[in-house]
Structures are given as C-alpha cells and as structure tokens.
Amino acid sequence: MGATMEEPLTTGISHVAIGVTDMEASLRFYRDVLGMTLTVDRTEANGGERPKNRRACYLRWDDRPGATYVVLDQRIEPAPQGQAAELFDVGVHHLSFRTPDLPALVEAVKTAGFDVWFSGSIHDGPANAEPAEGHEVMTAMVLDPDRNVIQFDQWLTA
C-alpha cells in the first residue's frame, strides 16, 4: 500500500550514526558536554564483502521506545578513514539539535575545550523552515572532535 498525503511513509528520524576517530574524545563531547546518556557501548563485528569491526556507542536523550538516538562508530579494523564534510558540501554536512539554553550550552562547549564556530545568531521562523513569521530561533554552530559541524537551536518564541 503506497503513502498518501495523509499517510507519509516516514514519520521522523530513527537515529544518526557518526563515524569518529577517537571514541573517548567523542564521548566527552556528546555525553559529558551535551548531556546525552550512553546506553550501549560494545564492539561489533560485521562480515560480508567489506568486513569491519567497530566500537559502537549508542547515546540517547531519553529512554522512550522509538526515541531518536545517536550512534558513535569507531572502526577498529580497518582504521577509520576520511574527514568531516565541509558545510554545504554534498552529503550530510551538519546536524542540528534543539536546546532550552543556548548560552549555557555554548559556555559548556567552550569550557570543555571544543571549538565554537559562531554563537547567538537569531533568525525568524521562515529561515528555519517554520511557516509563521515572528517565530525566533537563536542558533550556534560548534565543531565536534572530528570537526563535524553541529548546530544548536533555541526556540525563543512559541
């Protein structure tokens, strides 16, 4: 049965997987600074034509069934390769998370020694894909340990 306008085939994001080169540094950022909860930390072996062994750390904001989560993947063998995408390059070039307190989050990122790209920019609703004018969002962008661009948005008006 196909989807109609009333019945989309997707309903949200299940998870985001981020390849990392240093799991401990990434855990300091995502768990310790951003406050996500580490729910699974395991080594996984994947066979097939391109076998890879990895350490996978699963982090969540809450434990509701079906809640969105982040997976940090560090390849064990072969060693991790590549680099983070530049902003606006082809592919996924940044992630964005909501925060109730952007200034506190930015300060925590700085205190932990991670790079803040810019902070405190305020946009209206249409700039953030919201349909109504007058919906303000304050934004900051930071770099995680592998220089992935991570955006944070604080909704200032309902």
Side-chain angles (χ1 to χ4, degrees), residues 39-118:
T39 57
V40 176
D41 182 350
R42 66 181 176 220
T43 300
E44 299 175 346
N46 296 305
E49 290 182 32
R50 299 174 50 195
K52 291 180 179 61
N53 297 320
R54 70 177 184 162
R55 178 179 175 194
C57 290
Y58 294 69
L59 299 115
R60 296 180 177 272
W61 291 272
D62 63 57
D63 59 0
R64 290 177 297 123
T68 301
Y69 60 97
V70 171
V71 182
L72 301 177
D73 290 314
Q74 181 177 1
R75 288 198 321 196
I76 298 168
E77 286 186 39
Q81 299 176 16
Q83 60 188 21
E86 294 290 327
L87 192 60
F88 307 123
D89 275 355
V90 173
V92 177
H93 53 76
H94 77 282
L95 303 175
S96 184
F97 301 113
R98 289 186 180 171
T99 178
D101 190 346
L102 186 70
L105 187 141
V106 168
E107 187 58 34
V109 168
K110 286 180 184 176
T111 299
F114 296 104
D115 293 332
V116 175
W117 210 10
F118 75 83

Side-chain angles (χ1 to χ4, degrees), residues 121-143:
S121 175
I122 297 179
H123 307 279
D124 67 3
N128 287 284
E130 292 293 321
E133 295 284 342
H135 183 91
E136 291 185 326
V137 178
M138 185 167 46
T139 296
M141 289 184 143
V142 307
L143 300 175

Side-chain angles (χ1 to χ4, degrees), residues 140-156:
M141 289 184 143
V142 307
L143 300 175
D144 80 357
D146 284 292
R147 314 229 16 108
N148 291 298
V149 177
I150 308 297
Q151 177 176 329
F152 299 98
D153 293 326
Q154 179 181 348
W155 301 85
L156 301 176

Side-chain angles (χ1 to χ4, degrees), residues 8-24:
L9 291 176
T10 60
T11 58
I13 294 175
S14 166
H15 68 280
V16 174
I18 303 169
V20 304
T21 58
D22 181 340
M23 185 63 77
E24 296 311 314

